[in-house]
Amino acid sequence: MTHPEQPNTEPQNEELQENKYLRRIRSFVLREGRLTKGQQRSLDLFWPTMGLEYQTTPYDMQAVFGREADLVLEIGFGMGKSLVQMAKAAPEKDFIGIEVHKPGVGACLGEAETEGVKNLRVFEHDAIEILNDSIADNSLSTVQLFFPDPWHKKRHHKRRIVQAEFAQLLRRKLKIGGVFHMATDWENYAEHMLEVMKVAEGYSNLSQTNDYVPRPEHRPLTKFENRGVNLGHGVWDLMFRKEN
């Protein structure tokens, strides 16, 4: 019990420990592939207008996009095709993508230019550091995490990005009413996500059955996912809303 004449430092200590944890974990494994000439060209031409550098203070996204709009952030967009599709289909929203693999960033920039998408910016950096430092609290309307590395071996489950601490980091960044949307094709990871989020403070499950939701129309069906569905593989979507 804290002495009444002394300041209570327990919350700060807990916050410090959580912050240390979140800076230790990595949301990716760096498997750097070779850049194609097209990807390099896209990086050279379009990064100056669409790329965002990691910084230790939050961006003013209204200044970045030149307007006030709902802000959607996707963690790990791969080659960026579905992210560009979503941004093109919702011009009234602004989109931010985070990806650590340079070929994917280059491909995404090229795809955005081809499709004439202007409401998209991308980071090439670790998502945890971006969220901690470069994104303002209470600023996001949606966070998307689609098909993250499942770390399917049991001894590696602790490396999965969806953990209690991560849920609370996102809760700080989401607006009240903002949604954390996850999707995975690994049933065990889906169960893990559900287990973590069911007990996460400040969230409510948008599923009518208190587990998974049907794939919403705004999440494009990828070639990879379509092939899996045709082979009888399952895909699980989870959507949790920040209530407070």
Side-chain angles (χ1 to χ4, degrees):
M1 187 171 177
T2 306
H3 193 281
E5 294 176 3
Q6 294 176 335
N8 187 348
T9 58
E10 286 179 11
Q12 291 93 325
N13 289 340
E14 285 174 13
E15 193 174 315
L16 188 63
Q17 290 304 318
E18 179 182 313
N19 208 35
K20 281 181 180 175
Y21 170 84
L22 287 168
R23 290 188 186 281
R24 265 202 324 274
I25 65 170
R26 279 286 178 266
S27 59
F28 63 93
V29 176
L30 199 56
R31 295 181 286 262
E32 196 67 90
R34 286 189 177 179
L35 282 164
T36 66
K37 287 183 179 177
Q39 290 163 356
Q40 185 62 63
R41 178 180 175 275
S42 294
L43 283 164
D44 293 341
L45 291 177
F46 310 131
W47 181 264
T49 52
M50 294 178 62
L52 294 176
E53 300 289 348
Y54 164 75
Q55 62 182 40
T56 55
T57 54
Y59 276 90
D60 177 351
M61 290 302 175
Q62 288 186 36
V64 168
F65 288 97
R67 65 175 183 174
E68 185 175 352
D70 281 348
L71 197 57
V72 179
L73 182 142
E74 180 162 341
I75 297 169
F77 57 74
M79 301 306 276
K81 199 170 184 68
S82 66
L83 177 58
V84 170
Q85 278 182 262
M86 284 184 281
K88 186 176 182 180
E92 75 283 1
K93 297 179 181 179
D94 290 329
F95 289 77
I96 302 168
I98 306 176
E99 178 56 62
V100 292
H101 300 105
K102 197 178 286 288
V105 175
C108 182
L109 293 174
E111 182 82 8
E113 180 64 21
T114 299
E115 295 295 329
V117 166
K118 304 297 182 189
N119 57 331
L120 173 64
R121 301 291 184 273
V122 298
F123 285 99
E124 184 196 341
H125 199 81
D126 173 55
I128 300 297
E129 290 189 349
I130 293 297
L131 285 161
N132 262 312
D133 300 332
S134 304
I135 302 296
D137 289 354
N138 306 300
S139 66
L140 302 175
S141 61
T142 307
V143 175
Q144 299 176 166
L145 179 71
F146 300 153
F147 307 103
D149 193 325
W151 294 105
H152 56 276
K153 291 181 181 176
K154 192 166 185 179
R155 69 177 183 272
H156 291 157
H157 285 185
K158 62 182 178 294
R159 300 185 189 180
R160 291 172 168 176
I161 190 170
V162 180
Q163 305 288 354
E165 295 86 350
F166 180 69
Q168 293 309 313
L169 172 60
L170 294 190
R171 183 179 163 213
R172 289 210 318 268
K173 302 302 166 177
L174 285 164
K175 295 177 177 178
I176 297 287
V179 173
F180 178 26
H181 180 189
M182 296 153 275
T184 181
D185 58 341
W186 283 80
E187 186 172 14
N188 175 267
Y189 200 179
E191 291 167 350
H192 169 87
M193 290 172 168
L194 186 59
E195 187 180 312
V196 168
M197 294 306 300
K198 267 186 171 180
V199 297
E201 185 182 345
Y203 286 97
S204 66
N205 194 345
L206 294 184
S207 165
Q208 293 184 348
T209 50
N210 207 33
D211 48 15
Y212 310 107
V213 297
R215 179 182 65 86
E217 287 185 8
H218 65 259
R219 182 174 76 73
L221 196 65
T222 65
K223 276 186 189 176
F224 165 81
E225 183 181 354
N226 209 17
R227 189 164 62 240
V229 169
N230 289 336
L231 290 169
H233 299 168
V235 174
W236 293 266
D237 281 78
L238 302 89
M239 298 179 80
F240 281 77
R241 182 173 58 209
K242 174 181 170 176
E243 299 296 345
N244 57 60

